[in-house]
Short mmCIF file of all heavy atoms in Angstrom, two decimals:
data_model
loop_
_atom_site.label_atom_id
_atom_site.label_comp_id
_atom_site.label_asym_id
_atom_site.label_seq_id
_atom_site.Cartn_x
_atom_site.Cartn_y
_atom_site.Cartn_z
N LYS A 1077 110.75 101.21 115.52
CA LYS A 1077 112.03 100.63 115.01
C LYS A 1077 111.89 100.30 113.52
O LYS A 1077 112.81 100.57 112.74
CB LYS A 1077 112.41 99.40 115.80
CG LYS A 1077 113.71 98.78 115.36
CD LYS A 1077 114.89 99.70 115.40
CE LYS A 1077 116.16 99.06 114.95
NZ LYS A 1077 117.33 99.96 115.00
N ALA A 1078 110.78 99.68 113.13
CA ALA A 1078 110.58 99.34 111.74
C ALA A 1078 110.53 100.61 110.88
O ALA A 1078 111.08 100.66 109.76
CB ALA A 1078 109.32 98.50 111.58
N LEU A 1079 109.87 101.65 111.40
CA LEU A 1079 109.76 102.92 110.68
C LEU A 1079 111.14 103.58 110.52
O LEU A 1079 111.51 104.03 109.45
CB LEU A 1079 108.82 103.85 111.46
CG LEU A 1079 108.33 105.16 110.83
CD1 LEU A 1079 107.03 105.55 111.50
CD2 LEU A 1079 109.37 106.25 111.01
N SER A 1080 111.89 103.59 111.61
CA SER A 1080 113.28 104.27 111.53
C SER A 1080 114.15 103.51 110.63
O SER A 1080 115.03 104.13 109.94
CB SER A 1080 113.85 104.33 112.94
OG SER A 1080 114.10 103.07 113.49
N SER A 1081 114.03 102.20 110.50
CA SER A 1081 114.91 101.45 109.58
C SER A 1081 114.68 101.77 108.17
O SER A 1081 115.56 101.69 107.32
CB SER A 1081 114.70 99.94 109.84
OG SER A 1081 113.40 99.50 109.46
N GLN A 1082 113.40 102.13 107.83
CA GLN A 1082 113.08 102.53 106.47
C GLN A 1082 113.78 103.85 106.13
O GLN A 1082 114.24 104.04 104.98
CB GLN A 1082 111.60 102.70 106.27
CG GLN A 1082 110.82 101.45 106.44
CD GLN A 1082 111.25 100.31 105.40
OE1 GLN A 1082 111.52 100.61 104.24
NE2 GLN A 1082 111.28 99.11 105.83
N TYR A 1083 113.88 104.75 107.06
CA TYR A 1083 114.54 106.05 106.85
C TYR A 1083 116.09 105.93 106.90
O TYR A 1083 116.78 106.46 105.99
CB TYR A 1083 114.11 107.07 107.88
CG TYR A 1083 112.74 107.68 107.63
CD1 TYR A 1083 111.63 107.26 108.29
CD2 TYR A 1083 112.62 108.71 106.66
CE1 TYR A 1083 110.37 107.84 108.04
CE2 TYR A 1083 111.37 109.27 106.43
CZ TYR A 1083 110.24 108.82 107.14
OH TYR A 1083 109.03 109.39 106.86
N LEU A 1084 116.58 105.23 107.88
CA LEU A 1084 118.06 105.27 108.13
C LEU A 1084 118.82 104.14 107.46
O LEU A 1084 119.99 104.30 107.13
CB LEU A 1084 118.30 105.17 109.65
CG LEU A 1084 117.64 106.26 110.46
CD1 LEU A 1084 117.90 106.07 112.00
CD2 LEU A 1084 118.11 107.62 110.07
N GLU A 1085 118.17 103.01 107.18
CA GLU A 1085 118.87 101.86 106.57
C GLU A 1085 118.47 101.61 105.15
O GLU A 1085 119.25 101.65 104.22
CB GLU A 1085 118.64 100.64 107.45
CG GLU A 1085 119.16 100.78 108.88
CD GLU A 1085 118.77 99.66 109.78
OE1 GLU A 1085 118.34 98.60 109.25
OE2 GLU A 1085 118.98 99.75 111.01
N ALA A 1086 117.15 101.32 104.97
CA ALA A 1086 116.65 101.03 103.61
C ALA A 1086 116.57 102.31 102.76
O ALA A 1086 116.55 102.19 101.50
CB ALA A 1086 115.32 100.29 103.65
N GLN A 1087 116.46 103.43 103.41
CA GLN A 1087 116.30 104.72 102.70
C GLN A 1087 115.09 104.67 101.76
O GLN A 1087 115.07 105.30 100.67
CB GLN A 1087 117.56 105.09 101.90
CG GLN A 1087 118.75 105.32 102.83
CD GLN A 1087 119.96 105.80 102.02
OE1 GLN A 1087 119.98 105.86 100.78
NE2 GLN A 1087 120.98 106.17 102.76
N ASN A 1088 114.04 103.97 102.23
CA ASN A 1088 112.80 103.93 101.52
C ASN A 1088 111.82 105.00 102.17
O ASN A 1088 111.03 104.67 102.98
CB ASN A 1088 112.13 102.54 101.58
CG ASN A 1088 110.96 102.37 100.60
OD1 ASN A 1088 110.36 103.38 100.19
ND2 ASN A 1088 110.69 101.14 100.29
N TYR A 1089 112.03 106.27 101.77
CA TYR A 1089 111.30 107.33 102.44
C TYR A 1089 109.84 107.30 102.25
O TYR A 1089 109.03 107.58 103.19
CB TYR A 1089 111.87 108.69 101.97
CG TYR A 1089 113.35 108.79 102.25
CD1 TYR A 1089 114.24 108.90 101.20
CD2 TYR A 1089 113.87 108.81 103.57
CE1 TYR A 1089 115.61 109.01 101.42
CE2 TYR A 1089 115.23 108.93 103.77
CZ TYR A 1089 116.10 109.05 102.71
OH TYR A 1089 117.43 109.13 102.91
N PRO A 1090 109.31 106.94 101.06
CA PRO A 1090 107.84 106.89 100.93
C PRO A 1090 107.20 105.78 101.84
O PRO A 1090 106.16 106.03 102.43
CB PRO A 1090 107.64 106.55 99.40
CG PRO A 1090 108.88 107.10 98.75
CD PRO A 1090 109.95 106.82 99.75
N LEU A 1091 107.81 104.61 101.89
CA LEU A 1091 107.25 103.56 102.75
C LEU A 1091 107.34 104.00 104.23
O LEU A 1091 106.39 103.79 104.98
CB LEU A 1091 107.96 102.22 102.54
CG LEU A 1091 107.52 101.06 103.39
CD1 LEU A 1091 106.01 100.81 103.20
CD2 LEU A 1091 108.33 99.82 103.06
N GLY A 1092 108.45 104.56 104.60
CA GLY A 1092 108.65 105.00 105.99
C GLY A 1092 107.60 106.08 106.35
O GLY A 1092 107.05 106.15 107.46
N SER A 1093 107.30 107.00 105.38
CA SER A 1093 106.32 108.01 105.59
C SER A 1093 104.92 107.44 105.73
O SER A 1093 104.14 107.89 106.56
CB SER A 1093 106.35 109.05 104.43
OG SER A 1093 107.62 109.67 104.34
N ALA A 1094 104.59 106.41 104.89
CA ALA A 1094 103.27 105.78 104.99
C ALA A 1094 103.14 105.14 106.35
O ALA A 1094 102.07 105.17 106.94
CB ALA A 1094 103.12 104.80 103.88
N MET A 1095 104.18 104.49 106.85
CA MET A 1095 104.12 103.86 108.17
C MET A 1095 103.93 104.95 109.25
O MET A 1095 103.24 104.68 110.23
CB MET A 1095 105.38 103.04 108.40
CG MET A 1095 105.54 101.82 107.43
SD MET A 1095 107.17 101.13 107.44
CE MET A 1095 107.32 100.54 109.08
N ALA A 1096 104.60 106.06 109.06
CA ALA A 1096 104.49 107.15 110.06
C ALA A 1096 103.04 107.68 110.06
O ALA A 1096 102.49 108.02 111.12
CB ALA A 1096 105.48 108.24 109.69
N VAL A 1097 102.42 107.77 108.90
CA VAL A 1097 101.06 108.32 108.82
C VAL A 1097 100.11 107.35 109.51
O VAL A 1097 99.18 107.75 110.20
CB VAL A 1097 100.69 108.51 107.36
CG1 VAL A 1097 99.17 108.82 107.28
CG2 VAL A 1097 101.44 109.65 106.73
N LEU A 1098 100.34 106.05 109.37
CA LEU A 1098 99.49 105.04 110.04
C LEU A 1098 99.63 105.21 111.56
O LEU A 1098 98.59 105.11 112.30
CB LEU A 1098 99.89 103.62 109.65
CG LEU A 1098 99.54 103.25 108.15
CD1 LEU A 1098 100.01 101.83 107.85
CD2 LEU A 1098 98.07 103.41 107.90
N VAL A 1099 100.88 105.38 112.01
CA VAL A 1099 101.03 105.56 113.48
C VAL A 1099 100.34 106.83 113.95
O VAL A 1099 99.71 106.87 115.02
CB VAL A 1099 102.56 105.60 113.81
CG1 VAL A 1099 102.78 105.99 115.30
CG2 VAL A 1099 103.19 104.25 113.52
N LEU A 1100 100.49 107.96 113.19
CA LEU A 1100 99.82 109.19 113.52
C LEU A 1100 98.29 109.06 113.54
O LEU A 1100 97.63 109.61 114.40
CB LEU A 1100 100.21 110.31 112.57
CG LEU A 1100 101.66 110.78 112.67
CD1 LEU A 1100 101.98 111.74 111.53
CD2 LEU A 1100 101.89 111.49 114.00
N ALA A 1101 97.80 108.24 112.61
CA ALA A 1101 96.30 107.99 112.56
C ALA A 1101 95.92 107.24 113.87
O ALA A 1101 94.81 107.55 114.40
CB ALA A 1101 95.94 107.24 111.32
N ALA A 1102 96.72 106.24 114.23
CA ALA A 1102 96.35 105.51 115.47
C ALA A 1102 96.43 106.38 116.67
O ALA A 1102 95.55 106.33 117.55
CB ALA A 1102 97.34 104.33 115.60
#
């Protein structure tokens, strides 16, 4: 949910992408 809010609400794509990479690494 925190990741999707960066893309859909805050439109902070770099931060959302970094969060996505951390999830993928996990």
Side-chain angles (χ1 to χ4, degrees):
K1077 179 60 180 177
L1079 191 157
S1080 65
S1081 66
Q1082 295 299 323
Y1083 280 101
L1084 303 178
E1085 298 173 13
Q1087 296 185 353
N1088 191 339
Y1089 303 115
L1091 178 57
S1093 298
M1095 295 166 64
V1097 171
L1098 291 180
V1099 173
L1100 289 173

